[in-house]
Amino acid sequence: MTMSDGVSRRTVLKTGAAATAAGSIGVHISAARTATPPAMDGASPVVLRINGERYQLDLDPRTSLLDALREHLDLTGTKKGCDHGQCGACTVLIDGRRVLACLTLAVQADGRPVTTIEGLRGPDGRLHPMQQAFIDHDALQCGYCTPGQILSAVACLSEGHAGSVDEIREYMSGNLCRCAAYDGITAAIAAVAGLPAPGPEA
C-alpha cells in the first residue's frame, strides 16, 4: 500500500519504530547515568574496635563493615553470602547485638565494639561453648554459614530468646543453611541454653 505522498506505510512504520526505540534507549541511558552514585572525594577516618583490637582506617564512606573486615583487615571469618541481608552469613555482633555486616556501613561501627567469629574464643584459646556445641551436635556441614550461625546463636541466648526450641527456631530464622543443618544447629543452641534435646523439625 502506498500513501498519497508517495511514502509507503511500511516506511512510516519502520521509521516510527526506530524513533521509538532510540527514544527508549535514550531514556534508559539517561536513567542509568542518573542512578550512578556521584564519586566521593576523599576517605573518612574510621576507628574500628574488632575483637578487642583497635584499627584506624581511612575508608570510602560507602564501605560496608563486611568489606572493611574482609578486604581491609583480612578478617575473612565473616562470610559474604548473598550480600543483600537475606542469608545471615555475615552476622557479627556490635555492642553485643547481632547485625548484618553487609548492610552496615563501616562508619556506623566507628568506635563501637565489634565481635567476629575470630574473637569469640576465650583468651586462653578455648572455644566458646557455642562453638563447641556446634561441633558436638554436628551443626557444621559445609560450614560456610557457620560463623554467622554461631554469632547469631550467641546473641539469641544473650537477648533472652532461647526459652524453648520453637523460640530458638524463630529467632534463628534469619540465618539460612543451604546444607539443612537446622536440626543440629537447634540442638547445639538448646544444649547451651540447658534445654532438653529437641526432636527433628517437622
Side-chain angles (χ1 to χ4, degrees), residues 34-194:
T34 302
T36 302
M40 301 294 290
D41 292 328
S44 295
V46 180
V47 174
L48 295 179
R49 301 184 183 279
I50 314 292
N51 305 324
E53 299 288 333
R54 183 181 185 277
Y55 301 90
Q56 174 77 52
L57 300 172
D58 291 320
L59 298 174
D60 185 311
R62 298 168 295 182
T63 304
S64 70
L65 178 58
L66 176 60
D67 286 340
L69 292 171
R70 293 181 57 85
E71 306 299 333
H72 295 269
L73 299 176
D74 201 28
L75 293 170
T76 56
T78 304
K79 302 305 182 190
K80 180 176 282 192
C82 66
D83 208 21
H84 287 80
Q86 297 176 347
C87 72
C90 65
T91 301
V92 299
L93 306 181
I94 297 182
D95 297 323
R97 301 185 66 84
R98 52 187 147 177
V99 300
L100 298 172
C102 73
L103 297 184
T104 304
L105 295 174
V107 294
Q108 292 177 282
D110 187 30
R112 302 166 66 187
V114 178
T115 303
T116 70
I117 194 68
E118 291 93 343
L120 204 56
R121 65 183 177 182
D124 58 354
R126 297 185 64 179
L127 294 178
H128 186 282
M130 191 64 74
Q131 291 174 303
Q132 188 61 54
F134 268 60
I135 295 172
D136 295 342
H137 293 273
D138 194 21
L140 304 174
Q141 297 210 0
C142 93
Y144 194 82
C145 73
T146 302
Q149 294 275 5
I150 290 176
L151 285 164
S152 222
V154 169
C156 186
L157 263 71
S158 66
E159 293 166 3
H161 297 305
S164 68
V165 169
D166 286 343
E167 191 176 27
I168 290 171
R169 288 173 175 155
E170 173 65 24
Y171 280 88
M172 290 295 293
S173 62
N175 290 75
L176 303 181
C177 175
R178 297 300 186 194
C179 302
Y182 293 118
D183 287 341
I185 292 168
T186 304
I189 300 170
V192 178

Side-chain angles (χ1 to χ4, degrees), residues 20-46:
T20 301
S24 177
I25 291 170
V27 168
H28 289 304
I29 291 173
S30 176
R33 286 179 179 158
T34 302
T36 302
M40 301 294 290
D41 292 328
S44 295
V46 180

